[in-house]
Amino acid sequence: NPPPVRILSKDEVRDKITPLWRLSYKDQLDKKAREMVNKSAMKIVKEIKGKFRTIEKEARRDPNRSKIEVYDWVKAKRPVEMDAPTPSPRQFEYRNKCEFTCGFSLSPKNGSGVEKDDGKVAATGIEAEGELKDANANEEFVKTPACGFLAQGWSGGVYMPHILPNIPDWACGLSDILNDFLKSSPIPPYDSKVHRGLWRVFTLRCSIRTKEALVIVLHAPAKGGAGARDGGLDDYTGTFESEKKRLVEMLTKEAIPVPTRDLPESHVSEPRARDGTDIRVTSIFFQEFDGLSHPPVDHPVQHVVGKKTLDERLGKSLFQISPGAFFQTNTEGAEILYNIVVDRVREVTDNPKETMLVDVCCGTGTIGLTLLKEGVVGKLVGVDIAAPAIEDAKVNAAKNGFADESVTKFVASPAENVMPAILHEIPRSSPVVAVVDPAREGLHGIVIKTLRANERIERLFYVSCQ
């Protein structure tokens, strides 16, 4: 039997979506530092020592096999040195990208709408007591089309972002517009359990610095999703185009409204977060997808209105971001991160103008172009599997004064296919540093071996989102 559906309190939703919110920021950093030691540093050392033990056993069985000494750094008392965590300049309302899933908010039919002293009030848009309900007794709930976060899976309904401390005002303001649209639309949200309905996910990006916002509307085919019933019961072709036009008009009619928030008492609204006023939606895309999960990064989008990209300022540079391109979700935090890379590269580059940076998984070129702009390297070659990101990188190079192909080169390809040739083509007179910023699955083995085997690389940086 499925577990009973329970309407979560606001604090319970925060626990699910932002699990560290109850801790002070100092305690959050301390916790993350301990996790880095236990789950990363110690794990690395343990795995490497295990490799050497295996090699030693094999050498004892095979007298012709040469003995390999354990690396000196592995034998040190603290094999992996770790600096203290660097705090983010902004602790609240920092996200520049949000994804809101379409579904239904739930509230008991007998909900009073009055907040209780114990704080157990539903965060689904209609406040009500946090009661236990039978998952199959749908008549117990009022279901309202909405978009937000799935705090307890598809059956538990969607919860509004307004209560979460990491979500900025502009995202909540767009959420209000989108929820007004969903409530009045004759086309229902997509139901992933039966694969019917149309509206699936709203992806929102924003730059507070350039006052631009980009919206991607992911939807099932108008003729019906994978679970469409016979007889045209789930065919929305007759109303889709008019609803599409109506949504575009609602999103572009005026600046994004300032929402009413419901944040915890510990929340401190930072003055810079209030810069997010007078932001308008400047780009809208629709993306049709009939698959059962989520579309791949290179799945096509349809440009509907406005600009085809979003501009963001980061450090001394201006970057163009396409709909599917990766960009750090905390702009000010990314600046701190990239400045650390700049400082570490500066430590090893005696001849910056001749130093070549190899930027693996370069995305839109943010790290490499930042290093060029800061003058710590003189040349850049970037590789990324996503062709749209590489096109952005080329544009970004030109935007920031590095269009000369003798200075910057960007290649759209899986890194493992081109890395050996790229490193081979670098002039012997050029010092080399490398940065890798892979997706969560990490680097391909060929890339790792190629980088490790190249003795010319003076410093290697691994930027990780994990």
Side-chain angles (χ1 to χ4, degrees), residues 285-459:
F285 296 82
F286 276 64
Q287 186 176 41
E288 181 181 301
F289 184 62
D290 60 0
L292 303 184
S293 56
H294 201 276
V297 174
D298 58 353
H299 193 73
V301 295
Q302 176 198 7
H303 176 246
V304 176
V305 71
K307 297 175 58 183
K308 293 186 177 181
T309 58
L310 177 81
D311 284 340
E312 176 64 291
R313 292 194 187 95
L314 193 153
K316 299 177 182 178
S317 303
L318 181 68
F319 293 100
Q320 168 182 296
I321 309 169
S322 292
F326 172 78
F327 197 85
Q328 296 286 345
T329 56
N330 181 341
T331 302
E332 294 181 29
E335 288 176 333
I336 297 294
L337 172 64
Y338 296 168
N339 285 338
I340 292 173
V341 177
V342 167
D343 291 341
R344 297 295 174 87
V345 171
R346 188 178 281 120
E347 293 173 358
V348 297
T349 50
D350 296 329
N351 187 5
K353 288 186 178 180
E354 296 302 319
T355 299
M356 170 69 77
L357 171 67
V358 179
D359 192 354
V360 185
C361 307
C362 65
T364 57
T366 50
I367 297 178
L369 293 171
T370 296
L371 267 61
L372 274 174
K373 201 79 168 181
E374 293 291 339
V376 294
V377 298
K379 301 174 184 178
L380 162 67
V381 57
V383 182
D384 199 281
I385 193 173
I390 287 295
E391 291 305 311
D392 279 348
K394 293 176 180 178
V395 172
N396 290 333
K399 279 178 179 283
N400 293 285
F402 303 111
D404 190 336
E405 291 186 0
S406 66
V407 176
T408 58
K409 178 182 178 181
F410 291 99
V411 181
S413 170
E416 59 271 19
N417 292 350
V418 295
M419 279 302 300
I422 285 175
L423 289 172
H424 180 73
E425 292 171 1
I426 298 174
R428 299 295 302 179
S429 58
S430 294
V432 181
V433 292
V435 175
V436 297
D437 186 7
R440 293 185 183 273
E441 57 266 26
L443 288 172
H444 193 281
I446 293 176
V447 178
I448 295 173
K449 290 179 180 179
T450 302
L451 292 170
R452 290 191 62 195
N454 193 296
E455 296 179 354
R456 296 172 58 199
I457 296 176
E458 298 185 21
R459 182 157 284 181

Side-chain angles (χ1 to χ4, degrees), residues 57-82:
K57 290 178 182 178
E58 292 173 350
R60 285 200 297 266
R61 290 194 297 266
D62 182 1
N64 295 320
R65 184 164 182 166
S66 59
K67 184 178 179 181
I68 300 177
E69 294 292 336
V70 178
Y71 301 144
D72 288 339
W73 68 267
V74 176
K75 296 184 286 186
K77 185 175 181 180
R78 294 187 62 184
V80 178
E81 294 291 337
M82 195 181 82

Side-chain angles (χ1 to χ4, degrees), residues 91-300:
Q91 301 172 22
F92 302 105
E93 305 172 50
Y94 56 82
R95 291 193 64 89
N96 58 35
K97 178 184 177 183
C98 296
E99 292 185 358
F100 296 149
T101 301
C102 298
F104 295 89
S105 66
L106 306 179
S107 59
K109 287 186 177 181
N110 61 351
S112 64
V114 179
E115 183 162 348
K116 304 298 181 182
D117 291 337
D118 60 7
K120 289 191 174 181
V121 178
T124 57
I126 303 174
E127 295 185 345
E129 291 186 51
E131 302 177 35
L132 288 172
K133 296 292 179 182
D134 188 295
N136 298 314
N138 291 329
E139 68 276 4
E140 294 285 348
F141 295 105
V142 174
K143 296 176 63 177
T144 305
C147 66
F149 293 109
L150 300 175
Q152 51 181 346
W154 287 99
S155 299
V158 297
Y159 289 80
M160 302 300 105
H162 301 58
I163 64 171
L164 299 173
N166 64 334
I167 304 299
D169 281 356
W170 66 263
C172 296
L174 278 176
S175 169
D176 288 340
I177 295 173
L178 295 168
N179 281 315
D180 286 344
F181 169 78
L182 290 173
K183 290 175 187 177
S184 57
S185 178
I187 303 176
Y190 186 78
D191 186 333
S192 69
K193 296 190 293 297
V194 295
H195 305 293
R196 297 173 192 153
L198 189 121
W199 312 114
R200 297 184 68 156
V201 177
F202 297 120
T203 299
L204 318 177
R205 290 181 183 262
C206 177
S207 168
I208 289 178
R209 296 172 176 183
T210 63
K211 304 291 186 181
E212 296 180 359
L214 180 151
V215 177
I216 305 172
V217 180
L218 178 65
H219 61 89
K223 64 181 180 182
R229 295 165 290 184
D230 295 334
L233 293 174
D234 302 294
D235 187 340
Y236 307 107
T237 51
T239 54
F240 176 66
E241 288 301 325
S242 60
E243 283 299 279
K244 179 177 173 181
K245 180 180 179 182
R246 186 170 73 91
L247 176 56
V248 169
E249 290 174 348
M250 291 178 68
L251 288 169
T252 57
K253 183 179 179 181
E254 55 192 8
I256 299 172
V258 178
T260 300
R261 303 297 299 271
D262 194 356
L263 296 164
E265 293 181 2
S266 60
H267 183 86
V268 178
S269 293
E270 302 178 44
R272 287 169 296 176
R274 299 304 168 189
D275 293 341
T277 56
D278 299 325
I279 297 173
R280 303 190 72 95
V281 173
T282 51
S283 306
I284 299 178
F285 296 82
F286 276 64
Q287 186 176 41
E288 181 181 301
F289 184 62
D290 60 0
L292 303 184
S293 56
H294 201 276
V297 174
D298 58 353
H299 193 73

